[in-house]
Amino acid sequence: MKKHFTKITGIALAAALTLGLMGSATPNAQAATTQFSDVKSTHWAASAINKGVSKGYIEGYTNGTFKPDANVTRAEFVKMVVSAMNLETATTKGKWYVQYVNAASKAGLYAPADFSNNEAAWTKVMTREEMSRVAARAIGETTKENDKWMYLATKTGLIHGLGKGDLAPKGLTTRAQAVVLIERILSKNSGANLDVDKYAVGSAEIAWHGTNIFTVMPEMWVTPESDLRQSGKTSVEEMWNEKLMTITSKDGLYQGKLDALIAIDLADPNDPNLGLIKPIDTLKWFNQRPSITNLMVKDQKNSYVLYFKGGTVFNKDTKKYNSNRLLQFQVDGFDSPDRNAFFNKGKLNRAARVYRSSLEDMPALIIPKAGSIQQNDLVIRLQTPTSGSLYSENILLRLVGVK
């Protein structure tokens, strides 16, 4: 049978699709100016919905509703994207969605590794994580890391969080969410800059490679292009070595694991990770003078806290290895331009340990946003809690920096 190509200008859902997702209402194209009874002008997606209907890749219903909160299957979402992007489709035998899947595959929006290419898979509701893959690919992003798609989608402004950094990757996609995302794809591809949800990006970065330092405090982790090229990396984020977030002693008797290195902006009262160090009013920082115990973190709002979330996995010899459950770590490169001011006057002008009651009760450092200098490479290390020949370390990050 001779194939013919068409450009899709609307959505005509099959009967099975109607029954499976839309309920008993029958889909029917609505004019862009139509006020759907269930989409008020104040609805968060009202503008995008009207645009989507006007462009013809999504429809309302004959009963005057849009059903913005109805879920969207993988097949439906792919059809919307293919239609909105005006990708060519070839009429084929089989299920209604096959031609759109083929177009999406040809355009690189869908890969068989995402999920199986069969009816059982395509009729499942699209998750936000799956949606991020299609969206990121639709604007030309690529990666071989499965856990990086959400990061790429949030960093470019395609996907926002559902709350303070809440990504809900397994959350199910609604018609309203789908249309808003597709409008962002079209805007991005037209050259527009999208608003970015920094909290969502931070959470996505943690999910990708175990830290959010490059999202929360990017101005602190910079390095020359020559450093990246020498390391074979294309971005500073790729310099982080998540494979070394577990450290095992040479004799195999101790193991510690960093679950995440989390940067917290003390100047941002809405930082979603502030809860990790609350109550802040009782937190102190250490200037290496044990007699000085009144240096309060709450007075250093123009600073970041690095929180090493994790701990000991096992310690089979507490005589050799410190029994403290917290990780042993070190951060180099944020040094003091005036050591007297730091040690004797209590001025925070370099990285300093954070504690509450005793010096080893918080796995955290405080770093001022301004006032420190870089004398050596910027380095983040995990260490075995011992000394001598048993001591070892894992270097998670080393940057030449801008010293």
Side-chain angles (χ1 to χ4, degrees):
M1 181 177 178
K2 186 177 180 180
K3 292 183 178 179
H4 64 277
F5 291 87
T6 59
K7 286 192 175 182
I8 305 304
T9 58
I11 281 186
L13 300 178
L17 173 61
T18 302
L19 294 175
L21 175 67
M22 308 304 178
S24 59
T26 302
N28 184 51
Q30 303 280 341
T33 56
T34 297
Q35 179 65 57
F36 298 112
S37 61
D38 55 352
V39 182
K40 303 301 182 186
S41 60
T42 54
H43 190 281
W44 68 275
S47 176
I49 289 171
N50 279 336
K51 290 178 182 178
V53 172
S54 176
K55 294 172 185 177
Y57 63 81
I58 191 70
E59 296 175 346
Y61 298 87
T62 54
N63 64 359
T65 63
F66 182 79
K67 299 187 182 299
D69 298 324
N71 290 135
V72 173
T73 67
R74 292 163 170 169
E76 292 167 349
F77 184 73
V78 165
K79 180 175 182 178
M80 291 181 203
V81 176
V82 167
S83 301
M85 294 180 69
N86 289 322
L87 301 180
E88 285 189 326
T89 62
T91 301
T92 58
K93 293 181 179 180
K95 300 298 180 180
W96 64 268
Y97 55 79
V98 173
Q99 59 182 313
Y100 305 106
V101 172
N102 290 342
S105 298
K106 184 178 180 180
L109 305 183
Y110 162 73
D114 295 344
F115 46 80
S116 300
N117 188 0
N118 57 45
E119 183 176 7
W122 282 108
T123 54
K124 287 186 177 179
V125 177
M126 193 85 168
T127 67
R128 284 169 55 82
E129 184 176 46
E130 293 164 349
M131 185 173 65
S132 72
R133 291 174 182 251
V134 176
R137 289 166 177 160
I139 65 168
E141 296 287 351
T142 61
T143 182
K144 295 181 179 179
E145 300 177 73
N146 288 331
D147 53 4
K148 191 178 179 180
W149 289 111
M150 185 67 83
Y151 175 70
L152 294 174
T154 54
K155 186 178 181 181
T156 52
L158 294 175
I159 290 182
H160 291 190
L162 300 182
K164 289 184 181 179
D166 182 13
L167 295 174
K170 302 304 179 183
L172 303 181
T173 304
T174 66
R175 279 165 57 83
Q177 291 171 341
V179 176
V180 168
L181 176 59
I182 292 171
E183 283 301 308
R184 289 174 182 162
I185 291 172
L186 298 178
S187 293
K188 190 71 176 179
N189 283 340
S190 69
N193 290 320
L194 303 178
D195 292 334
V196 174
D197 179 351
K198 65 178 182 179
Y199 301 139
V201 181
S203 294
E205 188 189 346
I206 292 173
W208 165 36
H209 63 181
T211 187
N212 66 349
I213 62 173
F214 303 106
T215 296
V216 176
M217 47 192 299
E219 77 282 11
M220 310 296 282
W221 307 104
V222 293
T223 200
E225 288 292 329
S226 57
D227 187 21
L228 300 181
R229 289 195 300 269
Q230 185 175 352
S231 301
K233 307 297 183 181
T234 59
S235 68
V236 69
E237 294 93 334
E238 294 176 0
M239 298 288 279
W240 176 260
N241 194 338
E242 63 180 303
K243 295 180 180 179
L244 296 181
M245 290 174 66
T246 296
I247 183 168
T248 305
S249 62
K250 297 175 182 178
D251 58 11
L253 297 179
Y254 168 87
Q255 186 176 92
K257 184 176 186 297
L258 177 64
D259 296 321
L261 176 56
I262 300 174
I264 302 168
D265 187 350
L266 294 179
D268 183 359
N270 296 315
D271 190 303
N273 293 304
L274 277 172
L276 293 172
I277 59 174
K278 285 185 176 180
I280 296 178
D281 288 350
T282 60
L283 274 186
K284 306 168 186 175
W285 61 273
F286 184 52
N287 72 336
Q288 300 184 30
R289 292 291 187 269
S291 61
I292 300 177
T293 60
N294 63 344
L295 303 176
M296 308 305 294
V297 168
K298 67 180 181 179
D299 298 327
Q300 304 295 334
K301 291 295 180 64
N302 194 36
S303 304
Y304 297 110
V305 166
L306 287 183
Y307 185 85
F308 287 74
K309 183 180 180 181
T312 299
V313 177
F314 60 77
N315 186 347
K316 299 179 181 179
D317 192 336
T318 55
K319 292 182 179 180
K320 291 182 179 179
Y321 302 98
N322 192 317
S323 60
N324 192 326
R325 297 289 299 176
L326 301 181
L327 288 170
Q328 184 164 309
F329 57 86
Q330 184 173 323
V331 177
D332 300 319
F334 300 98
D335 303 307
S336 173
D338 185 345
R339 296 173 66 85
N340 181 61
F342 178 81
F343 291 116
N344 299 315
K345 299 180 181 179
K347 182 177 181 179
L348 183 65
N349 57 13
R350 57 169 289 180
R353 187 79 188 218
V354 170
Y355 70 103
R356 203 175 300 276
S357 299
S358 63
L359 291 180
E360 293 188 344
D361 65 2
M362 282 288 289
L365 286 174
I366 187 170
I367 300 176
K369 293 182 180 180
S372 67
I373 59 172
Q374 183 192 345
Q375 294 178 332
N376 301 299
D377 288 355
L378 302 174
V379 186
I380 299 177
R381 317 168 193 262
L382 286 186
Q383 304 165 323
T384 51
T386 189
S387 58
S389 60
L390 292 175
Y391 172 85
S392 62
E393 65 180 19
N394 285 359
I395 296 180
L396 301 175
L397 179 70
R398 181 187 291 277
L399 301 176
V400 171
V402 293
K403 59 181 181 291

